[in-house]
Amino acid sequence: ATNQHGLIRMNVNQQIPEDIPLVSMRPGRLRKNMGIMSLYVDNSNMLWVGTAKSGVAYLGDNIYMFETDRIDDVTAIVEDSLGNVWYGTGNSGIEGYDGPLASHKVTAMTYTKDGSLWVGSQQNGLTRIKNGQATIYSATDDRQTRTILDNHINALTTDRLGNLWIATDAGLQLFNTRMEQFSNYTKESGKLKTNRITSLYYAKNNQLLIGSAEGLQILDISQGEAKSLTGNANSAQKFTTNYVTQVFQDSRNLIWIG
């Protein structure tokens, strides 16, 4: 996903980037050199693409129809247990959802095994939607109960046990959906190199890939230990910048870092 050059696919065998044409429900909506803000692959291998100011596009052979007149920054896309695809926007909340939210400025979404849809916001905290009820977690309003560390929610993901992981500007958090409890991973506790967490990816071997303002950290969830990288494993080649915006592990166990 790029800011101004649409969608690019990397041919990993030839190491060649390829421009990918997208399709929209409404002809003429997609602009040349538009920005891409979010990507999601659903259970039918359809690639959903959230664009800047051009709504939702897709890449795939089979598409089920949906209608929307909303043209907005589509910042997050997620699929629930019934196969419904939800998308969050930069200013208008979640398409098709009219209930309470911490903010209509959606930054991240994920779905956990307990049936909760989690929605992160730019500066107003976290929303949990479960059984039609919304619960809002705020660092400002929940000072006594100490739920989330910070209201800037940058990324969300889940692990194999159905726990929620939360990336904030004040550290990393785990929400145990069975115990209904938060726990924190911060620089002050000695568990992280920096508190500004920008991206998350749940990888193989029960590892959490953590993008941050100071490089990549790999957390062994089972052991509770993290190691930091600002280049390849032996540090022979450094990252072009330590500010990581995205991280991903492919089927060959290679880690891709934006």
Side-chain angles (χ1 to χ4, degrees):
T2 71
N3 284 335
Q4 298 180 352
H5 299 286
L7 184 66
I8 295 174
R9 178 172 59 197
M10 176 65 75
N11 184 319
V12 294
N13 294 319
Q14 300 180 11
Q15 296 292 304
I16 297 174
E18 306 165 340
D19 293 329
I20 301 300
L22 298 173
V23 181
S24 174
M25 291 299 179
R26 297 180 180 273
R29 170 176 285 186
L30 299 182
R31 297 174 289 106
K32 186 178 180 180
N33 296 334
M34 65 184 174
I36 305 297
M37 305 197 72
S38 55
L39 297 173
Y40 183 80
V41 180
D42 69 16
N43 58 16
S44 66
N45 286 327
M46 177 74 70
L47 175 64
W48 295 88
V49 182
T51 71
K53 300 295 187 288
S54 296
V56 176
Y58 65 89
L59 180 68
D61 297 327
N62 302 308
I63 181 70
Y64 54 87
M65 299 297 292
F66 68 92
E67 290 292 334
T68 178
D69 292 323
R70 185 173 294 173
I71 299 177
D72 205 338
D73 293 342
V74 179
T75 53
I77 305 173
V78 72
E79 184 178 11
D80 65 23
S81 60
L82 299 177
N84 300 310
V85 177
W86 300 87
Y87 62 92
T89 68
N91 291 289
S92 305
I94 303 172
E95 179 69 20
Y97 172 76
D98 297 324
L101 287 173
S103 170
H104 283 177
K105 297 181 182 296
V106 176
T107 55
M109 295 196 301
T110 196
Y111 188 85
T112 48
K113 293 179 180 179
D114 68 324
S116 296
L117 175 65
W118 298 86
V119 185
S121 73
Q122 194 172 56
Q123 55 187 8
N124 294 95
L126 180 68
T127 306
R128 180 188 195 181
I129 305 169
K130 182 179 180 182
N131 299 326
Q133 300 294 318
T135 303
I136 296 175
Y137 300 91
S138 167
T140 305
D141 299 336
D142 301 344
R143 289 178 180 175
Q144 298 299 321
T145 54
R146 296 185 179 181
T147 56
I148 61 173
L149 287 169
D150 186 76
N151 281 338
H152 295 79
I153 309 298
N154 300 320
L156 300 168
T157 195
T158 60
D159 61 26
R160 66 187 182 190
L161 297 178
N163 296 315
L164 173 73
W165 292 87
I166 308 163
T168 79
D169 282 355
L172 174 69
Q173 288 190 277
L174 166 68
F175 180 77
N176 187 312
T177 55
R178 300 173 306 283
M179 301 295 292
E180 298 280 322
Q181 291 180 345
F182 288 90
S183 54
N184 303 331
Y185 294 73
T186 63
K187 180 179 180 179
E188 290 73 19
S189 67
K191 296 181 178 180
L192 294 178
K193 182 179 179 181
T194 178
N195 283 336
R196 191 167 186 186
I197 309 303
T198 57
S199 54
L200 299 172
Y201 185 82
Y202 181 65
K204 297 175 183 177
N205 300 320
N206 202 31
Q207 291 184 328
L208 186 66
L209 306 181
I210 305 167
S212 76
E214 297 183 24
L216 175 68
Q217 298 178 81
I218 302 177
L219 174 66
D220 185 324
I221 297 176
S222 301
Q223 300 297 323
E225 299 177 353
K227 63 179 179 180
S228 298
L229 296 176
T230 54
N232 58 11
N234 57 14
S235 296
Q237 185 172 352
K238 297 294 184 180
F239 297 157
T240 53
T241 175
N242 285 339
Y243 195 99
V244 176
T245 58
Q246 292 291 335
V247 62
F248 176 79
Q249 183 181 49
D250 69 17
S251 59
R252 301 175 299 169
N253 294 332
L254 294 179
I255 297 175
W256 297 80
I257 302 165

